[in-house]
Amino acid sequence: MQNFSKLSALFASAFLLSACEPAFETTAQKCAAGQDIQVVIPAPDPKFQIFTDADEYPLYLREAIETMTPSSVLSAEEQAAKDFIDQQISDFLSYDKSGDLVTGARNPLDFLESIVSTTDPGVEIEAFAIAKNQVAQGIADDDDFCSYQNDDIRIVDTDADATTLAFAELAMSYNPFTRIVQQSIIVAEQREDLESSASRESVPFIGFYQALPENFKANGFTQPEVRQLIANNGSGFARLSFDDGEDTELGQLLLDYNNEYCDTDRTNDDPSTWEDCPSGTTTRVPSTDVGGACDAEANKLEEHSFDLNSV
């Protein structure tokens, strides 16, 4: 028994030594390889232009837009509401249409994700192709968490100075316990906006999907089970979001508008000390349902709203 114990210790020592050799890599280490490589992507004119039939990548809202085509004539009020929604989609995502069909888009999110998903070797970025193959291998090994995250991506103009148009982060992961593959893309105007959870909430574009591991494609577009988009407008008070689920076969499009206080430099929680909004600003009328407790907010909160029945 004593000899057996010594032999077991010898085998254990040999295993530990092999795991510490430079050539040995865990699945997690393999998946993270190359995530610190800077990726620079030129965006030729027209900026961020992609076409619906150029590759297998599907624009986030193409199917939803084309499905929203009415089967009968709308009333004037219904048509006005649909025109308003169509205009918001166009304003946020710059989708191009021919009649009721979507022909392309000109926004950084669809542009970048189409490159990640491309099957064209003349378009694909080597760093992304390697990362997807790493995730595919991690799924095949199925023995550890697999995660790749590159937050050093720049989309640049094709001018002589290669002016930066946007900063981005690409993250891909596989969880062997939940058996879920995830991908997220975040597009920001400033590099610093990718560095904190608070600033990430207001970046111009966020794209996300979850997929089954058997559907993951190292080359091409992975069919997701859940796909989501968030787009924030430049003023910071309006947001368009889209949630599409294969399991429920339900797509949901949301428009959110947030009121904001005019005094952006306020240093305390006492509304009576805050600066009033500039003359002519539409402000929220304080609630009268709480016995005057909100009166101090009069002329303090800029209101962003619309009447859908009047547009």
Side-chain angles (χ1 to χ4, degrees):
M1 182 65 69
Q2 185 177 5
N3 291 337
F4 180 80
S5 297
K6 289 181 179 179
L7 189 60
S8 297
L10 180 62
F11 280 132
S13 298
F15 175 77
L16 290 173
L17 286 172
S18 67
C20 293
E21 291 176 357
F24 179 84
E25 287 187 309
T26 65
T27 294
Q29 290 171 325
K30 292 175 183 177
C31 289
Q35 63 182 8
D36 57 349
I37 296 175
Q38 184 184 71
V39 178
V40 180
I41 304 172
D45 287 320
K47 296 295 181 289
F48 312 121
Q49 176 74 68
I50 60 172
F51 297 101
T52 53
D53 298 322
D55 208 334
E56 64 182 41
Y57 171 77
L59 298 174
Y60 271 91
L61 290 180
R62 178 186 182 181
E63 183 177 7
I65 292 172
E66 295 179 351
T67 303
M68 285 193 298
T69 301
S71 57
S72 58
V73 178
L74 300 178
S75 67
E77 185 177 10
E78 292 170 335
Q79 186 62 54
K82 184 179 184 305
D83 290 344
F84 174 79
I85 298 299
D86 290 343
Q87 186 61 51
Q88 296 307 302
I89 294 173
S90 178
D91 290 345
F92 276 97
L93 299 172
S94 297
Y95 274 25
D96 298 319
K97 295 175 62 178
S98 176
D100 294 322
L101 301 179
V102 177
T103 58
R106 290 168 285 112
N107 67 75
L109 179 61
D110 277 310
F111 173 78
L112 179 55
E113 191 160 341
S114 70
I115 293 176
V116 175
S117 304
T118 188
T119 61
D120 185 347
V123 174
E124 72 178 0
I125 303 296
E126 183 179 8
F128 297 163
I130 292 173
K132 294 181 71 176
N133 277 292
Q134 290 170 180
V135 173
Q137 187 59 54
I139 293 172
D141 293 341
D142 201 28
D143 60 0
D144 197 356
F145 287 96
C146 177
S147 179
Y148 170 91
Q149 180 175 315
N150 188 331
D151 61 0
D152 197 5
I153 301 169
R154 284 195 305 132
I155 304 176
V156 301
D157 203 337
T158 51
D159 59 18
D161 297 326
T163 304
T164 299
L165 301 173
F167 297 87
E169 175 189 282
L170 168 66
M172 292 180 280
S173 66
Y174 169 62
N175 185 325
F177 297 101
T178 61
R179 294 193 56 78
I180 291 177
V181 182
Q182 294 187 161
Q183 177 179 291
S184 65
I185 292 177
I186 302 175
V187 181
E189 293 180 345
Q190 304 295 327
R191 177 69 181 81
E192 295 75 14
D193 290 342
L194 298 174
E195 297 177 357
S196 74
S197 57
S199 58
R200 282 167 174 253
E201 291 185 1
S202 58
V203 296
F205 299 101
I206 301 171
F208 170 82
Y209 77 62
Q210 288 186 338
L212 299 175
E214 57 266 29
N215 292 337
F216 181 78
K217 296 172 66 174
N219 181 254
F221 178 74
T222 294
Q223 183 61 44
E225 293 298 296
V226 175
R227 195 181 188 199
Q228 298 173 327
L229 168 149
I230 296 175
N232 292 294
N233 75 349
S235 62
F237 70 84
R239 166 181 291 192
L240 179 146
S241 58
F242 179 66
D243 192 323
D244 191 17
E246 280 293 317
D247 52 347
T248 60
E249 298 184 354
L250 176 68
Q252 186 175 38
L253 184 68
L254 300 174
L255 282 167
D256 297 312
Y257 290 82
N258 299 310
N259 298 325
E260 55 190 7
Y261 291 102
C262 293
D263 187 354
T264 58
D265 297 324
R266 59 189 186 279
T267 58
N268 57 55
D269 296 327
D270 181 5
S272 65
T273 66
W274 301 344
E275 292 184 5
D276 286 349
C277 292
S279 177
T281 302
T282 300
T283 58
R284 187 181 70 182
V285 177
S287 172
T288 59
D289 295 335
V290 288
C294 297
D295 289 350
E297 290 194 358
N299 300 318
K300 307 294 185 182
L301 190 67
E302 182 177 4
E303 186 175 56
H304 301 290
S305 64
F306 62 90
D307 182 355
L308 191 58
N309 290 325
S310 66
V311 297

